[in-house]
Amino acid sequence: MSLHVRPKGFRFAIDRGGTFTDVYAECPNGQVRIIKLLSEDPGKYADAPREAIRRILEEELGRPFPKSEALDSGHIEWGVTKTRNGTERHGIFRSVP
């Protein structure tokens, strides 16, 4: 049975690109944490955003969060540069001045 953990006061913003995933975290103590991981590294983790959040929670809360444990990570803002970059290259998305 998985435990659902909801840390209070964490805010995460995730930018998953084709090569790297960046995770920005605002922690309850006011500290800002930024982690950059390879977007795909199957030998180390199944999902880069989840792994980054797990690492931040472990370091900030001082307890292990096993990879098998479900995370309810609070507020998450998601951005995907992989999709945007691809659509810009193919003329699907254009910036308006």
Side-chain angles (χ1 to χ4, degrees):
M1 180 171 142
S2 294
L3 298 174
H4 290 277
V5 178
R6 184 177 187 92
K8 300 294 182 195
F10 282 92
R11 290 177 45 95
F12 297 95
I14 301 165
D15 180 10
R16 183 175 188 139
T19 304
F20 292 103
T21 294
D22 299 294
V23 176
Y24 167 94
E26 293 175 0
C27 304
N29 63 6
Q31 184 174 353
V32 171
R33 304 287 307 272
I34 299 171
I35 291 184
K36 179 184 281 288
L37 295 175
L38 289 171
S39 292
E40 295 186 25
D41 195 352
K44 294 185 180 175
Y45 44 82
D47 181 68
R50 185 183 190 290
E51 177 64 15
I53 291 169
R54 189 187 70 75
R55 289 181 188 186
I56 290 169
L57 293 177
E58 282 188 342
E59 291 172 10
E60 289 297 314
L61 299 177
R63 77 167 188 83
F65 283 83
K67 292 182 181 186
S68 61
E69 184 176 313
L71 297 176
D72 182 355
S73 56
H75 183 74
I76 297 177
E77 298 172 18
W78 184 268
V80 183
T81 57
K82 186 175 176 179
T83 302
R84 180 175 172 158
N85 290 345
T87 56
E88 285 176 342
R89 275 194 296 271
H90 299 292
I92 298 167
F93 176 86
R94 293 191 186 130
S95 298
V96 178

